[in-house]
Amino acid sequence: MATTISPAPDYALEARGLTKRFGAFAAVNNVNLAVRRGSVHALIGPNGAGKTTCFNLLTKTLQPTEGRIVYDGRDISNMRTSEVARLGLVRSFQISATFPHLTVLENVRVALQSGKPTQWQFWRSLSAIAPLNARAMELLEKVGLADAANLTAAELSYGKKRALEIATTLALDPKVMLLDEPTAGMGHEDIEPITDLIREAAVGRTVLIVEHNLSVVSTLCDRITVLTHGEVLTEGTYAEVSANPEVITAYMGGVDDE
C-alpha cells in the first residue's frame, strides 16, 4: 500500500535520492526530481545518461536500490506498476505496444475496460461492452483516428500507431502521464502532429516525457531536467539548459544509451 507522506499541492510526482545499482554500477545515482502539477516536464540527456533507468524506476518497472518515489503526496516506492496505474500514474512505451490484430477501436476499448466489472469476463457477449464504443470513438476522434476505427492496428503507419497509443493511454484517464520517447523513429511529417496531440492530451494533466528530439522539448515542455552519468546535471527552462556550457559538453561527448 502507498504511504501518505505529506500534502503535495505543487508537485504531482517526485523522486527523492533515487538510486539504482546493478552490481557495482550506479545507473541512477541520488536523483532528485520534482514534476510540478499540471506541467509538461522533460527528462533529457546524452546517450547513456540513465534516462531509461530513471523512467523505469518512476513508473515502477524497476525497483529502486535507494530513495523514494512520491506520487500525489504518497510514497509509492514499493508498489507495483499495476497498482500505481490504478492510482492514475500511467506510462507509454518507446516501442509500439498496440494489439496488432485487433482493430483500432478494439485497442481503445480494451483500455477502457480496465477497472470495469467486465474487465476479465471474456465469456460475456459483445453487447456487454458496446456502451464503451462511444467513448472509444471520442478518443479516436481526439487523436485523428476516427476514420481508421475498423482497421487493424497492424495496418496503421508508425506515426498513427503512436497516436493510437496516446488514445489508449488517455482511455485509462491518467492524472500523470509518462511518455517514453513518443517521437522515436518518426519521420518529420509525423513529429508535429504527435507533438500537437501530446500538447492537447496534457491539458488538465501532468506529463513527464523522455525525449531525444530537442525541437519537440523546446516547444512542448515547461521544465527540463538534464541527466548525465546517472545524475542530475541541471534543471530549468529550455532556454536555460540549452545555454548551459555543461549541457553542451555532455551532449557532445555522449555514449550509447542503456
Side-chain angles (χ1 to χ4, degrees):
M1 294 180 62
T3 302
T4 300
I5 294 179
S6 62
D10 294 329
Y11 299 106
L13 182 65
E14 298 175 78
R16 302 178 182 178
L18 196 60
T19 298
K20 180 63 178 180
R21 296 190 186 91
F22 297 96
F25 173 64
V28 172
N29 186 35
N30 195 33
V31 165
N32 293 306
L33 175 70
V35 181
R36 190 171 293 276
R37 196 178 304 279
S39 71
V40 180
H41 194 122
L43 189 62
I44 70 169
N47 292 333
K51 303 182 301 294
T52 299
T53 301
C54 189
F55 191 85
N56 287 336
L57 290 167
L58 292 169
T59 58
K60 307 316 318 301
T61 306
L62 289 175
Q63 285 294 110
T65 305
E66 296 173 12
R68 288 178 170 182
I69 303 164
V70 180
Y71 166 64
D72 203 23
R74 290 177 285 190
D75 189 335
I76 62 167
S77 306
N78 297 315
M79 295 181 70
R80 297 189 296 270
T81 303
S82 58
E83 293 174 320
V84 297
R86 283 193 288 271
L87 293 175
L89 182 69
V90 180
R91 71 169 291 175
S92 73
F93 291 85
Q94 182 175 344
I95 299 171
S96 181
T98 57
F99 295 105
H101 302 301
L102 294 183
T103 69
V104 170
L105 177 67
E106 288 167 341
N107 267 272
V108 179
R109 195 170 63 195
V110 166
L112 287 169
Q113 281 181 258
S114 178
K116 298 285 192 295
T118 56
Q119 181 177 5
W120 305 114
Q121 297 177 7
F122 302 114
W123 62 89
R124 298 285 294 275
S125 68
L126 287 176
S127 62
I129 55 176
L132 300 177
N133 288 341
R135 176 57 179 157
M137 286 302 300
E138 287 178 13
L139 290 168
L140 292 177
E141 189 77 46
K142 184 183 289 286
V143 301
L145 291 178
D147 292 342
N150 294 319
L151 296 178
T152 64
E155 295 177 86
L156 298 179
S157 68
Y158 185 77
K160 289 186 176 180
K161 284 179 183 175
R162 300 316 297 254
L164 177 56
E165 288 180 354
I166 291 174
T168 57
T169 302
L170 291 175
L172 300 174
D173 195 23
K175 296 177 182 176
V176 177
M177 187 163 60
L178 300 106
L179 304 176
D180 188 10
E181 298 278 7
T183 68
M186 284 189 181
H188 292 297
E189 69 280 1
D190 289 323
I191 290 175
E192 186 175 348
I194 290 297
T195 303
D196 290 340
L197 285 179
I198 295 169
R199 186 179 293 109
E200 184 178 349
V203 175
R205 294 183 175 87
T206 304
V207 177
L208 177 65
I209 180 173
V210 171
E211 181 55 63
H212 269 104
N213 190 319
L214 295 185
S215 66
V216 171
V217 171
S218 68
T219 61
L220 191 61
C221 300
D222 305 301
R223 195 113 184 125
I224 299 159
T225 298
V226 184
L227 292 183
T228 184
H229 303 300
E231 300 180 352
V232 174
L233 176 61
T234 190
E235 183 179 311
T237 65
Y238 181 79
E240 290 168 342
V241 301
S242 63
N244 187 314
E246 290 183 294
V247 174
I248 296 169
T249 299
Y251 267 93
M252 291 295 288
V255 294
D256 289 340
D257 203 351
E258 64 262 81

